[in-house]
Structure formats: structure tokens, C-alpha cells
Amino acid sequence: MIRATVARTVWASGVTGYEVKAEGHAGEYGQDIVCAAVSVLLQTLANEVVEAARAGLLAVGVVAHGDGWMKVEATPTAQTQDMVDAWVELVQDGIDDLAESYPENVE
């Protein structure tokens, strides 16, 4: 079972920061398409966050991962809030769709 969460923190400045996490496996390690789908969503978000952080577009951009888990943190600036909101919304929509289609594999 993959457990995925999206947490939002609204800072005093009015900026919303995000922490997106997924942990676990949906099926046989390395062989499950649902697990691969969640991994692609999180890795794509991670790539965007790393690039934006390198370009100085984020106040905070952190990616951490290990065996069976990944966490992406992003706190935008006021100027990049809409961009980060769109990234997270896309990933959350994808995870929500997977959880609806494969409730035995994703929550």
C-alpha cells in the first residue's frame, strides 16, 4: 500500500508552503504500474522543485528519498506561489485519481 499525503502550511507572509510525501509499495517491488505512476508524479515534482530552487525561485526547496519513500518540500516566494500551487495541484490530482482507481494500492 502506498500512503501519499499533501500538507499545506500558510506562513505569516501569506505564502503557502507544501510537503508532499509518499511511502510504501503498491505491489511487487519494481514490477507494479501503480507504484511506478506515483513515483513518476513525485519525481516530476521533485525535478521542478530542484530546478526552481537552483534558479532562486523558491524560499525553500527540499527533496529527500530512501527505500520506499520520497518527500518533496516547496515554499515559494510571493512571485512564484501560483507556479508551485499548479505543480502541487497536478500531483495531488494524479494521486487522487490513482487512489480512486486503485483503492487497494493507494491511499
Side-chain angles (χ1 to χ4, degrees):
M1 172 69 73
I2 297 173
R3 287 174 185 81
T5 60
V6 177
R8 292 166 175 76
T9 302
V10 179
W11 299 101
S13 64
V15 170
T16 300
Y18 296 95
E19 179 184 85
V20 181
K21 295 190 302 188
E23 61 184 336
H25 293 288
E28 184 179 339
Y29 182 77
Q31 301 296 317
D32 188 85
I33 195 159
V34 176
C35 194
V38 172
S39 295
V40 166
L41 287 167
L42 266 288
Q43 189 59 56
T44 300
L45 178 62
N47 291 345
E48 293 297 326
V49 166
V50 167
E51 288 299 315
R54 284 185 185 147
L57 299 174
L58 299 177
V60 174
V62 177
V63 175
H65 56 87
D67 185 29
W69 67 274
M70 181 175 228
K71 177 172 71 170
V72 181
E73 294 180 33
T75 300
T77 65
Q79 294 77 23
T80 59
Q81 182 73 65
D82 290 343
M83 176 182 72
V84 175
D85 289 348
W87 295 344
V88 174
E89 183 177 341
L90 178 73
V91 171
Q92 183 167 12
D93 287 349
I95 291 170
D96 289 346
D97 288 346
L98 287 167
E100 184 176 316
S101 297
Y102 302 97
E104 67 282 358
N105 299 100
V106 181
E107 69 176 27

